[in-house]
């Protein structure tokens, strides 16, 4: 799962460093282990169910980014949260979205982390009863 989490981070434009002084490797391993343990504890299973693998990957990415930001190791202002579409025009009708004025880059980043962490994930479908 660690490799899939790294691929997801790269797809989001987050670069990982392998320098000896970097904490990326430890934080990433810790996030993956934390998410794996959380899902296993919620489901009472020894492995993450196939239907939760993508959720687990996003949760690990969210934990990693949250830890880096909390430690001051992530510059949120350098990340691009601009919307893909700001203005749509069809004939004489124009719709313009005012998304930039409403949220700061840090607020957008916090919302993105909450989305990735899946705090409301429901594992009931995969839960196994134990005695």
């Amino acid at each position: 799962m660690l490799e899939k989490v790294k691929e997801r981070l790269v797809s989001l434009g987050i670069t990982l460093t392998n320098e000896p002084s970097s904490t990326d490797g430890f934080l990433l391993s810790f996030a993956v282990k934390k998410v794996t343990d959380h899902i296993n504890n919620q489901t009472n299973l020894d492995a993450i169910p196939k239907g939760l693998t993508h959720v687990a990957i996003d949760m690990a990415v969210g934990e990693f980014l949250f830890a880096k930001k909390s430690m001051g190791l992530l510059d949120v202002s350098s990340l691009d949260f601009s919307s893909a579409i700001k203005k749509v025009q069809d004939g004489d009708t124009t719709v313009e979205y005012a998304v930039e004025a409403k949220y700061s880059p840090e607020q957008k980043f916090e919302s993105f982390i909450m989305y990735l962490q899946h705090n409301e994930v429901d594992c009931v479908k995969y839960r196994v009863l134990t005695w």
Side-chain angles (χ1 to χ4, degrees), residues 6-117:
K6 288 179 181 178
E7 288 175 16
R8 179 75 165 125
L9 282 166
V10 169
S11 75
L12 295 172
I14 307 294
T15 56
L16 300 171
T17 60
N18 293 329
E19 297 174 8
S21 62
S22 174
T23 59
D24 285 357
F26 174 76
L27 289 175
L28 197 54
S29 297
F30 185 82
V32 168
K33 182 67 173 153
K34 181 179 177 182
V35 168
T36 301
D37 288 347
H38 174 74
I39 292 175
N40 290 348
N41 289 337
Q42 292 296 312
T43 60
N44 293 321
L45 296 170
D46 294 332
I48 294 176
K50 191 173 186 177
L52 290 177
T53 54
H54 290 91
V55 171
I57 291 167
D58 272 357
M59 287 174 73
V61 168
E63 288 294 326
F64 173 76
L65 292 176
F66 180 76
K68 282 199 65 135
K69 182 182 179 295
S70 298
M71 295 171 61
L73 300 174
L74 187 65
D75 183 17
V76 178
S77 62
S78 68
L79 300 175
D80 182 19
F81 290 101
S82 59
S83 298
I85 299 174
K86 294 181 185 178
K87 185 176 182 179
V88 177
Q89 184 172 358
D90 186 20
D92 61 348
T93 305
T94 301
V95 178
E96 191 165 342
Y97 300 101
V99 293
E100 295 300 320
K102 192 172 183 181
Y103 299 106
S104 70
E106 188 161 357
Q107 288 171 320
K108 291 178 184 179
F109 182 72
E110 303 256 337
S111 296
F112 184 59
I113 286 179
M114 287 177 53
Y115 162 75
L116 287 172
Q117 287 179 323

